[in-house]
Structure formats: C-alpha cells, structure tokens
C-alpha cells in the first residue's frame, strides 16, 4: 500500500541539518520553533514554547531510548563478500529482529533467504523478507540473544548521508528517554531541556509518559509506517481522559506519541491502558480522535509522517507551515528545527 500526503514541497539540500544544534553554538532548546494554528503562523524559539501552551494542557512524551543500532559487517553472498552496515530496526517477540542492510548510505535490496552477515561475535542470518512486497527489510536471527547489550558493545547511532560526521549516542537521546528500544531517536522531543521541562511544569503544563519504539525511518516514498511496539500506561490514559473532560488540550510530542495514544482509543472515544503492537495508519481518511496538536520536527517530502500531521490539523495548515518554514530557512530532520501544530 502506498500513501500520498496532501502537502507538497521541494527541500533544498541547504536545509538539511547536518549536525546537532550544540555544534552550531545553540543549546537544545534554542532551535527555531514555528507555531501554526489555523491560518496563523508564528516564528519563535523552542525555549519560548510555554508562551503558546496553557495551564492544564497535557504533553505526551515518548520515553523510548535510542539504541546504537548500526553495526558494521560483511555480507556473504553467492557472488562474494561485500561490506555492509546492519541497521537493527525492531525486536520481534520471539527473539528475532527486523534488520536493514545498507552500503554507501543506500539500502541493499539483493538479499536472499539464508544469506549470512559476519558481525562481531558471530553471524546474522537472513530468514525471510519482513514485507511481502519488498526485500528491503529482513527478519533475521542475530548472533547473540542479548541484542541490546550487544549493540552497546558494537553499535553506533544510525545516521544518514545528510549528517556529515558521526556523533555520540548522547546526541541522539532525549531528556525523556528511559527504556532503550528505538532504532532511531524519537526526535520531536530532542529540543526539550531539563530546564524547559521544569519551567513548563511550574506554569501548570502537565506531562505524561507514553512509549513507542521507533523502527528505521528510511522508508521509500509513500511507504506506510510499519508495526511498532507501544505502551500506554493506565495512569497516562486516566490523565488524558481527565484533561479532555476538563477543557485542557492533549498535545503529543512527536508522531510516535500520536500513533501510540490513538492506538489506545476505545470505541466510545475514551483512552484505555493498552500495549502491544500497533499497525495504525493515520491520515485524512483516518483522523485523530484524541490529540489536539503535536510538537514535531520537519519531515521529508512525500514521507508518510506528513499524512499523520494532516490527520491532526488538516492538509492546509501543514502546507502553510511548511511553506513558511522553507521561506524562513528552517532546518530539517533529527537535528533541525521544530513545529507546534494545533487544531
């Protein structure tokens, strides 16, 4: 299935954030912030986001921690041996993992069942394609049973060609990270600093945890999001219901938080404790039911994340925000600038 967002734009290479804001002389919370609500667009800085939030608003934050999920190896094929980077994307329930093989910054599509990749401490074996219509992602048997410990010993953060050099894992963690499990950083929360969180709490903004472990984001154009593991705790579900009943707004920090909370909405519109795997795909044909707004980074053209944004605030608002961001030179991707989009 392919998905096509309403929002259209061309992203010049000059607007790819190639390094963390700290390397540009900024603190985490000093990146640009675009606030779009209806037909109004405001340009400010992330550490002033409290000016656009009200006492009683609830921020849902993803507590998933980023893994050092990229490991160098040698892919053994019928025609020889090729250098490869294995991206450990998603842990399955039976101990196997979904992985992606990459070389020179691009996915490698030529894998076959039974192919082996020599890695530190052993061999990873490709078992079967994860998707019936693509061999980009594979179900694989990893070389060890304790993959999280293995990645701490041998892995590094996943990065893409627009990031010019390697950065430590700390650069890919948010202040809310508690449970390691994401192949890539839930980056919408990266601009939050501990000082900003304290400031927001003191002005009456509520914060509640939610969990969704992100897989690799290097999806092809219009490829829908893959199933991901999530958890909505009972206390978060109760708080969401209380806030909605008392006139507050529910604001998700990131597309991951939107997907998680909307996966826990019951038939009557209330939120219940929920966990497991979600294959929810949000868009104009499947709008959100609970979320009133979201904080998010800038997403690539044709990414399915744009559909989720449109499900919250509508295509016109997203298009207006992205046009304004391009005009003002906002930076894209995990080390870039931020948006607050409100219904």
């Amino acid at each position: 299935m392919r998905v096509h967002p309403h929002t259209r734009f061309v992203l010049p290479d000059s607007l790819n954030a190639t390094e963390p804001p700290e390397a540009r002389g900024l603190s985490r919370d000093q990146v640009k912030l675009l606030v779009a609500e209806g037909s109004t667009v405001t340009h400010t800085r992330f550490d002033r986001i409290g000016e656009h939030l009200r006492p009683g608003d609830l921020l849902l934050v993803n507590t998933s921690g980023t893994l050092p999920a990229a490991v160098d190896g040698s892919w053994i094929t019928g025609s020889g041996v090729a250098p490869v980077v294995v991206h450990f994307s998603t842990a399955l329930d039976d101990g196997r993992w979904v992985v992606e093989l990459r070389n020179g910054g691009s996915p490698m599509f030529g894998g076959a069942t039974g192919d082996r990749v020599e890695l530190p401490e052993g061999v990873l074996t490709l078992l079967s394609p994860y998707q019936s219509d693509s061999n980009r992602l594979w179900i694989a048997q990893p070389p060890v049973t304790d993959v999280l410990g293995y990645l701490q010993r041998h892995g590094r953060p996943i990065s893409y060609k627009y990031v010019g050099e390697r950065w430590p894992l700390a650069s890919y963690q948010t202040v809310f990270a508690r449970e390691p499990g994401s192949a890539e950083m839930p980056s919408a929360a990266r601009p939050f600093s501990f000082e900003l969180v304290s400031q927001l709490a003191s002005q009456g903004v509520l914060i509640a945890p939610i969990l969704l472990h992100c897989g690799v984001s290097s999806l092809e154009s219009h490829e829908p999001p893959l199933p991901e593991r999530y958890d909505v705790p009972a206390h978060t579900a109760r708080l969401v219901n209380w806030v909605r009943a008392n006139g507050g707004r529910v604001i998700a920090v990131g597309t991951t938080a939107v997907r998680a909370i909307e996966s826990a909405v019951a038939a009557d519109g209330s939120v219940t404790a929920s966990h497991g795997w979600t294959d929810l795909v949000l868009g104009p044909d499947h709008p959100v039911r609970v979320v009133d707004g979201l904080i998010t980074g800038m997403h690539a053209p044709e990414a399915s994340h744009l559909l989720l944004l449109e499900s919250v605030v509508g295509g016109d608002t997203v298009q207006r925000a992205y046009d304004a961001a391009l005009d003002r030179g906002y930076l894209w991707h995990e080390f870039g600038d931020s948006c607050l989009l409100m219904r």
Side-chain angles (χ1 to χ4, degrees), residues 254-296:
T255 58
T256 60
V258 176
R259 194 182 197 197
I261 196 66
E262 293 291 334
S263 297
V265 180
D268 63 0
S270 65
V271 175
T272 61
S274 180
H275 69 276
W277 291 87
T278 178
D279 59 2
L280 178 65
V281 178
L282 294 163
D285 295 333
H286 191 152
V288 297
R289 302 176 64 190
V290 167
V291 172
D292 299 298
L294 79 159
I295 297 165
T296 179

Side-chain angles (χ1 to χ4, degrees), residues 104-311:
S106 300
M108 302 180 74
F109 292 94
T113 298
D115 279 359
R116 304 191 313 150
V117 179
E118 290 186 347
L119 294 176
E121 298 186 35
V123 171
L124 176 140
T125 304
L126 303 186
L127 301 177
S128 61
Y130 185 52
Q131 299 163 286
S132 61
D133 59 348
S134 171
N135 65 347
R136 184 179 66 84
L137 296 175
W138 283 83
I139 297 175
Q141 187 65 49
V144 298
T145 55
D146 178 17
V147 174
L148 297 190
Y150 175 83
L151 293 177
Q152 293 295 331
R153 294 191 298 275
H154 300 292
R156 64 177 182 275
I158 289 175
S159 64
Y160 295 107
K161 287 185 286 188
Y162 54 81
V163 176
E165 59 184 273
R166 293 181 182 176
W167 298 95
L169 184 61
S171 295
Y172 292 87
Q173 300 290 11
T174 75
V175 298
F176 303 112
R178 293 294 180 270
E179 181 179 332
S182 282
E184 299 184 23
M185 172 175 53
S187 55
R190 192 187 193 280
F192 283 92
S193 63
F194 290 110
E195 293 80 8
L196 179 57
V197 171
S198 176
Q199 174 190 319
L200 294 174
S202 69
Q203 74 177 62
V205 175
L206 305 172
I207 298 175
I210 205 166
L211 180 74
L212 186 139
H213 290 319
C214 313
V216 294
S217 68
S218 57
L219 303 179
E220 298 175 356
S221 294
H222 309 308
E223 188 176 346
L226 299 171
E228 293 171 311
R229 193 188 304 273
Y230 79 104
D231 182 27
V232 177
H235 53 85
T236 293
R238 288 194 299 268
L239 188 55
V240 169
N241 293 330
W242 183 86
V243 166
R244 296 179 70 214
N246 287 276
R249 300 179 298 179
V250 177
I251 301 167
V253 180
T255 58
T256 60
V258 176
R259 194 182 197 197
I261 196 66
E262 293 291 334
S263 297
V265 180
D268 63 0
S270 65
V271 175
T272 61
S274 180
H275 69 276
W277 291 87
T278 178
D279 59 2
L280 178 65
V281 178
L282 294 163
D285 295 333
H286 191 152
V288 297
R289 302 176 64 190
V290 167
V291 172
D292 299 298
L294 79 159
I295 297 165
T296 179
M298 312 300 298
H299 298 288
E302 301 182 344
S304 62
H305 292 94
L306 294 170
L307 270 174
L308 187 147
L309 270 56
E310 293 170 6
S311 80

Side-chain angles (χ1 to χ4, degrees), residues 7-9 34 36 41 296-301 305-306 309 316-328 330 332 339 341:
T7 307
R8 292 284 186 268
F9 63 97
L34 183 152
V41 172
T296 179
M298 312 300 298
H299 298 288
H305 292 94
L306 294 170
L309 270 56
D316 290 344
T317 296
V318 178
Q319 186 70 65
R320 188 177 301 112
Y322 272 63
D323 288 345
L326 289 166
D327 184 61
R328 291 292 190 100
Y330 279 61
W332 256 248
C339 289
L341 304 175

